[in-house]
Amino acid sequence: MPPIYEFTAPVIKGNGLGHSFGTPTLNQTLPDDEAAAALTYGVYFSRCELDGTDYPAVSNVGVKPTINGIPSPAVESFLFGYSGDAYGRVVRTSLLEFRRPEKKFPDRESLFSAISKDVDAAAEFFGMENISREDKTK
């Protein structure tokens, strides 16, 4: 399946919230080009290539409205099967299929619940068994 959009960018520091929930993400600045500007903010099933390895992933494109927001759009991706420190490394992210629009949730628990559903849906999309995560919100 051809990607909706692809870009290559270094991994930047995020706020670490995904890590506290058990779904650590790689954060990247969204390029400033016409194709990126035309993207709908929201969750995508994706693939990320890091150090020559291709990982199935789920990515959020947008401005993180639930967690105080950010001024410029960014992409944060949870990579299935990856653990480690990727800060500063260059990652190629391919957005494959749109899942849902970005929205502001009333609280972190609602956000984490939606993330859990997104991760489960991505696992199904890629034909993987659902991953087990410890829900650290309780």
Side-chain angles (χ1 to χ4, degrees):
M1 133 183 338
I4 296 167
Y5 180 73
E6 285 184 309
F7 71 99
T8 302
V11 175
I12 59 173
K13 194 109 171 117
N15 58 20
L17 192 60
H19 192 286
S20 69
F21 175 60
T23 52
T25 58
L26 302 183
N27 294 269
Q28 298 170 284
T29 301
L30 190 65
D32 185 15
D33 61 38
E34 284 185 40
L39 288 172
T40 300
Y41 289 175
V43 177
Y44 292 80
F45 302 132
S46 57
R47 288 202 172 273
C48 293
E49 183 186 332
L50 171 63
D51 294 337
T53 301
D54 188 42
Y55 295 92
V58 59
S59 301
N60 184 75
V61 175
V63 293
K64 304 179 187 182
T66 303
I67 311 299
N68 300 326
I70 55 175
S72 299
V75 177
E76 56 182 332
S77 302
F78 170 73
L79 283 58
F80 289 90
Y82 177 78
S83 64
D85 181 353
Y87 293 125
R89 289 203 181 110
V90 175
V91 173
R92 178 154 194 85
T93 299
S94 302
L95 304 177
L96 304 176
E97 184 173 298
F98 185 75
R99 169 159 164 76
R100 66 169 176 84
E102 182 175 59
K103 67 180 261 186
K104 183 172 181 157
F105 292 92
D107 52 47
R108 286 183 177 193
E109 290 74 25
S110 299
L111 170 64
F112 291 152
S113 176
I115 291 169
S116 182
K117 290 174 185 169
D118 295 335
V119 169
D120 289 346
E124 186 175 324
F125 176 82
F126 288 109
M128 302 166 48
E129 289 190 29
N130 291 353
I131 64 165
S132 60
R133 296 176 303 291
E134 178 184 344
D135 185 347
K136 299 184 179 179
T137 61
K138 296 180 179 169

